């Protein structure tokens, strides 16, 4: 069974009695260890699809299996537990606490885990070292460059040793040099066996992925695997 499997997945938003389909008819299968980029113009449904796959939103209809279990069969507490333990998230806006140190930011997901507090520092330091920021552990995140902030966000996504990392436009706020440094880190994570789902609208960023899925008007237009 693939790590991710969707069948006729749809999400419709209703505003003032008007229904607007964001994604519909999404049939998608992603195996453990894949690196897939989801692309498409603004409004094509990229972020909506990622939010559903990351248990941040529910579909209106269709089926979504994650890790061999139907999403509808997860209770709300179980959904939160899976998000915390099996999924890591990296966002365009970094989502760090500005006046909190790098170490404390990376430890945040551990607050909601079943891991003993005595292990938190060790795990956080290991994740920070993996992104090359051991010399910044006591810096406030507000003191870091954009590229460093995103590396902290990657460390935070790694700290619980998740099965999959969802990266939503992770280079959107970065210059070209920092963007490619971040993508080199993400590619390294994939080479270590991580499953990566990347949202991007930039072709040079999507080239890091082994598979490119293009959306248009909420539907899959292309699904290409690189040889």
């Amino acid at each position: 069974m693939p790590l991710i499997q969707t069948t006729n997945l749809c999400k419709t938003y209703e505003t003032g009695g008007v229904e607007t389909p964001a994604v519909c008819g999404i049939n998608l299968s992603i195996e453990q260890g894949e690196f897939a980029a989801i692309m498409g113009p603004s409004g094509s449904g990229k972020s909506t699809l990622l939010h559903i796959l990351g248990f941040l939103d529910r579909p209106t209809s269709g089926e979504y299996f994650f890790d061999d279990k139907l999403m509808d069969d997860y209770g709300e507490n179980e959904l939160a537990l899976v998000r915390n333990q099996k999924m890591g998230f990296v966002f365009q806006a970094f989502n760090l606490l500005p006046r909190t140190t790098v170490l404390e930011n990376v430890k945040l997901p551990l607050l909601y885990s079943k891991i003993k507090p005595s292990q938190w520092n060790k795990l956080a330091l290991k994740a920070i070292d993996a992104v090359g920021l051991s010399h910044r552990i006591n810096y406030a995140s507000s003191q870091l460059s954009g590229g460093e902030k995103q590396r902290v966000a990657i460390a935070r996504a790694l700290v619980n040793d998740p099965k999959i990392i969802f990266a939503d436009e992770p280079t959107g706020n970065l210059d070209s040099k920092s963007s490619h440094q971040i993508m080199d880190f993400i590619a390294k994570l994939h080479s270590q066996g991580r499953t990566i789902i990347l949202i991007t609208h930039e072709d040079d960023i999507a080239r890091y992925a082994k598979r490119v899925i293009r959306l248009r008007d909420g539907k899959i237009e292309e699904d290409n695997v690189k040889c």
Side-chain angles (χ1 to χ4, degrees):
M1 184 78 176
L3 180 61
I4 281 175
Q5 180 84 53
T6 75
T7 306
N8 292 324
L9 201 69
C10 295
K11 178 67 179 183
T12 300
Y13 295 100
E14 186 174 334
T15 307
V18 178
E19 291 189 346
T20 305
V23 294
C24 201
I26 300 292
N27 295 303
L28 185 62
S29 178
I30 293 178
E31 301 288 341
Q32 179 76 38
E34 277 202 77
F35 185 172
I38 299 175
M39 300 190 72
S42 179
S44 61
K46 302 187 300 295
S47 290
T48 297
L49 179 57
L50 181 137
H51 285 175
I52 293 171
L53 299 181
F55 283 5
L56 299 169
D57 199 0
R58 285 185 177 272
T60 306
S61 62
E63 291 185 330
Y64 172 28
F65 286 87
F66 177 80
D67 208 12
D68 206 17
K69 184 172 179 177
L70 186 65
M71 186 182 191
D72 290 345
D73 291 340
Y74 287 94
E76 288 301 323
N77 290 338
E78 198 175 5
L79 287 174
L81 199 63
V82 171
R83 277 197 304 269
N84 179 259
Q85 294 183 352
K86 296 185 179 182
M87 299 175 174
F89 297 89
V90 181
F91 296 103
Q92 178 177 343
F94 317 133
N95 293 350
L96 302 177
L97 300 177
R99 290 183 293 278
T100 303
T101 66
V102 167
L103 181 61
E104 294 301 321
N105 267 289
V106 173
K107 281 163 61 174
L108 279 175
L110 299 172
L111 299 176
Y112 308 98
S113 73
K114 294 181 177 179
I115 297 168
K116 294 178 181 178
S118 60
Q119 296 293 308
W120 292 358
N121 270 10
K122 178 183 176 181
L123 291 171
L125 290 170
K126 181 182 177 182
I128 293 166
D129 182 60
V131 299
L133 283 178
S134 295
H135 60 299
R136 291 281 195 261
I137 59 170
N138 293 316
Y139 280 61
S141 63
S142 58
Q143 296 176 285
L144 305 178
S145 68
E148 287 174 330
K149 287 177 181 175
Q150 196 59 292
R151 283 154 69 184
V152 174
I154 291 171
R156 184 183 56 193
L158 285 175
V159 75
N160 270 337
D161 193 26
K163 281 195 168 190
I164 185 168
I165 291 177
F166 295 101
D168 192 355
E169 299 279 7
T171 62
N173 284 337
L174 304 177
D175 59 35
S176 179
K177 181 180 178 182
S178 297
S179 293
H180 288 287
Q181 287 175 342
I182 290 303
M183 289 310 303
D184 286 341
F185 277 114
I186 291 175
K188 182 180 178 182
L189 295 177
H190 171 250
S191 72
Q192 294 168 348
R194 305 274 180 184
T195 307
I196 311 285
I197 295 183
L198 167 74
I199 299 287
T200 184
H201 63 276
E202 300 177 75
D203 286 324
D204 62 326
I205 299 300
R207 287 191 192 103
Y208 284 84
K210 305 299 182 185
R211 177 182 177 187
V212 177
I213 300 159
R214 294 183 184 272
L215 299 185
R216 183 172 294 277
D217 299 327
K219 300 180 185 298
I220 294 177
E221 185 178 53
E222 293 180 33
D223 188 349
N224 297 318
V225 179
K226 296 179 186 178
C227 297

